[in-house]
């Protein structure tokens, strides 16, 4: 790994342009962004809805940033011509980073190291946290180009504080065009963008939203300025905005119910899809006969044979049967002369279910 350090150590790759990003930063930023909206407990439908919501919020932030860059000018901390120039060219985010480099360049000191007919080498020192750091700036006379050992311009695309200190020493008031990348300018989206095959790449966001937003923002600003002239105008505008906000909310919530397929009074919820049995071996579907055989073979309780039950047993069919619904049977009459010897067993006979049908005949 030490022999291949030039392939994986970031210090050896500073001369390649990567917009200041590391190899894994893009994936980590995406994960951190979507974790704000998505959780592992979300169902499939919740994941799709939250994913679309995250993308819409991201596009909305981009539209707001484009609106700010198009109609607002950043306030400059340092009243320098170069700072004002970059405020009009760079986007708001990139101008703030450039301005920090310009402010830090005021604390840098230059010292001439070597000079010859082709180039001049300077040592730029900076004292930070009780520690002095030195960078080497090389200025080539023939190409009129300055480079620094920190490689910030080559790696990030913004001029570093060490070269800015050299510009301040040479009294260069405006930034040369070769140090300004188009990707950081407000006009970066103007024109056509093509892929590696030369095909035009169209922006997914609707450019008409930016125009509508700017138009309505100007109109709202003019209305507010007119309403501030008198107290009645402020009250009228406040009441109108409140009623308009309620109407817009109803208009926003109305189509959402119809998209699901239901009316506004009845909300329908989409359920998760049914679970599908995984591929592989599964149990075979058995018939009714197989199920009965699996439960076990039934035996007759009377004779113990197989093939019939107690109700269909031949032994019971050969014995006298119980009285039918048409025959009348009465419980045992205790006054009958046949039961004089059984007076002590009447309770046991009744418990056993014996019935008296005719004299001398008892039946179960």
């Amino acid at each position: 790994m030490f022999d291949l350090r030039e392939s994986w150590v970031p210090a050896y790759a500073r001369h390649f342009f990567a917009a200041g990003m590391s190899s894994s930063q893009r994936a980590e930023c995406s994960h951190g962004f979507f974790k704000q909206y998505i959780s592992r407990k979300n169902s499939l439908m919740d994941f799709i809805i939250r994913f679309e919501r995250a993308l819409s919020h991201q596009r909305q932030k981009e539209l707001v940033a484009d609106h700010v860059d198009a109609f607002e000018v950043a306030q400059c901390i340092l009243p320098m011509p170069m700072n004002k120039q970059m405020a009009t060219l760079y986007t708001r985010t990139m101008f703030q980073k450039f301005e920090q480099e310009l402010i830090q360049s005021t604390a840098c000191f230059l010292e001439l190291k070597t000079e010859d007919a082709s180039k001049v080498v300077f040592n730029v020192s900076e004292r930070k946290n009780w520690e002095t750091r030195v960078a080497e700036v090389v200025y080539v006379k023939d190409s009129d180009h300055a480079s620094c050992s920190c490689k910030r311009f080559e790696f990030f695309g913004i001029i570093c504080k060490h070269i800015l200190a050299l510009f301040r020493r040479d009294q260069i008031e405006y930034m040369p065009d070769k140090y300004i990348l188009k990707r950081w300018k407000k006009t970066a989206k103007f024109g056509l963008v093509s892929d590696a095959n030369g095909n035009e790449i169209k922006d997914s966001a609707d450019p008409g939203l930016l125009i509508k937003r700017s138009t309505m923002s100007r109109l709202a600003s003019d209305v507010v300025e007119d309403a501030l002239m008198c107290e009645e105008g402020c009250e009228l505008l406040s009441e109108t905005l409140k009623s308009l906000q309620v109407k817009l909310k109803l208009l926003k919530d109305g189509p959402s119910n119809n998209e699901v397929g239901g009316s506004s009074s009845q909300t329908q919820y989409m359920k998760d899809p049914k679970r599908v049995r995984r591929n592989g071996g599964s149990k075979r579907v058995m018939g009714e006969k197989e199920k009965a055989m699996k439960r076990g073979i039934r035996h007759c309780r009377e004779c113990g044979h197989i093939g019939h039950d107690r109700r269909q047993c031949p032994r019971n069919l050969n014995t006298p049967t119980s009285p039918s619904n048409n025959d009348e049977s009465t419980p045992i009459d205790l006054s009958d002369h046949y039961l004089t010897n059984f007076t002590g067993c009447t309770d046991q006979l009744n418990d056993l279910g014996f019935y008296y049908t005719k004299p001398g005949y008892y039946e179960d």
Side-chain angles (χ1 to χ4, degrees):
M1 293 181 64
F2 181 76
D3 295 337
L4 299 176
R5 60 187 181 276
E6 297 182 359
S7 302
W8 62 273
V9 177
Y12 291 94
R14 297 284 295 183
H15 58 285
F16 292 105
F17 177 76
M21 298 177 61
S22 60
S23 59
S24 61
Q25 184 176 355
R26 182 176 182 180
E28 293 174 357
C29 292
S30 301
H31 294 167
F33 171 74
F34 284 109
K35 281 183 179 179
Q36 302 175 4
Y37 302 90
I38 299 172
S39 174
R40 66 176 62 184
K41 297 181 181 179
N42 297 136
S43 61
L44 180 60
M45 285 301 302
D46 291 339
F47 170 78
I48 296 175
I49 295 174
R50 292 174 181 269
F51 184 81
E52 293 292 339
R53 186 183 302 171
L55 293 182
S56 63
H57 288 177
Q58 190 178 37
R59 295 190 182 108
Q60 179 65 22
K61 290 181 181 179
E62 184 179 359
L63 291 175
V64 173
D66 292 341
H67 173 77
V68 171
D69 294 336
F71 300 98
E72 298 181 11
V73 180
Q75 299 294 329
C76 299
I77 299 177
L78 298 179
M80 299 175 61
M82 185 179 295
N83 199 25
K84 295 179 180 180
Q85 174 195 6
M86 305 313 295
T88 57
L89 295 178
Y90 276 162
T91 60
R92 178 65 62 88
T93 303
M94 301 311 299
F95 170 72
Q96 293 175 355
K97 295 180 179 181
F98 169 79
E99 193 173 32
Q100 291 297 324
E101 293 289 331
L102 187 61
I103 294 174
Q104 294 176 8
S105 66
T106 58
C108 297
F109 301 95
L110 277 76
E111 180 183 358
L112 181 62
K113 183 178 180 181
T114 58
E115 183 178 3
D116 53 18
S118 59
K119 63 181 180 180
V120 183
V121 181
F122 295 91
N123 285 337
V124 182
S125 60
E126 178 190 8
R127 189 169 182 82
K128 186 175 182 181
N129 296 331
W130 305 99
E131 182 183 358
T132 302
R133 299 181 179 180
V134 181
E136 186 177 274
V137 178
V138 178
Y139 174 72
V140 181
K141 298 180 180 179
D142 296 336
S143 60
D144 192 17
H145 181 76
S147 60
C148 183
S149 60
C150 69
K151 301 295 182 181
R152 181 172 178 81
F153 177 72
E154 290 81 1
F155 182 73
F156 197 83
I158 294 180
I159 204 74
C160 65
K161 53 190 172 184
H162 311 111
I163 299 179
L164 290 175
L166 177 63
F167 288 169
R168 190 181 70 254
R169 173 186 175 276
D170 296 340
Q171 297 182 356
I172 300 177
E173 296 184 351
Y174 295 96
M175 180 71 67
D177 294 338
K178 58 183 176 181
Y179 297 108
I180 303 175
L181 298 184
K182 183 181 178 181
R183 65 181 303 120
W184 306 136
K185 298 172 66 175
K186 298 179 181 180
T187 59
K189 290 185 177 181
F190 295 170
L192 301 179
V193 180
S194 303
D195 56 7
N197 299 326
N199 300 323
E200 180 183 356
I201 301 176
K202 296 182 179 180
D203 192 2
S204 59
D206 188 5
L209 294 177
L210 181 61
I211 300 176
K212 294 179 182 178
R213 183 183 180 87
S214 61
T215 303
M216 289 187 290
S217 298
R218 291 182 179 180
L219 179 60
S221 178
D222 296 339
V223 173
V224 171
E225 292 293 335
D226 296 338
L228 292 176
M229 301 301 295
C230 59
E231 189 67 25
E232 293 80 2
C234 294
E235 295 179 358
L236 177 61
L237 180 60
S238 179
E239 294 177 357
T240 305
L241 290 177
K242 289 180 180 179
S243 61
L244 182 60
Q245 186 178 10
V246 174
K247 293 180 180 179
L248 291 176
K249 186 176 180 180
L250 295 176
L251 183 62
K252 181 180 178 181
D253 297 340
S256 60
N257 295 330
N258 296 331
E259 290 177 359
V260 182
S263 59
S264 59
S265 61
Q266 183 179 4
T267 305
Q268 296 183 359
Y269 299 94
M270 299 186 68
K271 300 181 179 180
D272 294 336
K274 296 182 179 180
R275 293 175 178 258
V276 181
R277 182 178 295 177
R278 61 183 181 181
N279 297 330
S282 60
K283 295 183 179 180
R284 184 174 58 86
V285 180
M286 296 185 299
E288 295 295 333
K289 293 183 179 180
E290 291 184 273
K291 292 181 180 179
M293 293 178 62
K294 189 175 181 180
R295 287 195 298 265
I297 301 174
R298 300 180 62 181
H299 297 265
C300 179
R301 295 184 180 181
E302 291 292 337
C303 61
H305 292 82
I306 304 173
H308 61 273
D309 54 6
R310 184 178 181 182
R311 294 173 297 178
Q312 300 176 356
C313 182
R315 182 179 298 180
N316 291 336
L317 295 177
N318 296 331
T319 58
T321 59
S322 61
S324 60
N325 296 333
N326 297 330
D327 298 336
E328 294 183 359
S329 60
T330 58
I332 298 174
D333 189 5
L334 299 179
S335 61
D336 193 269
H337 64 279
Y338 288 100
L339 298 178
T340 55
N341 297 328
F342 300 94
T343 55
C345 301
T346 54
D347 295 335
Q348 297 179 2
L349 291 172
N350 290 329
D351 293 338
L352 293 174
F354 283 90
Y355 292 87
Y356 172 74
T357 56
K358 57 180 69 175
Y361 187 78
Y362 299 90
E363 190 175 19
D364 185 2

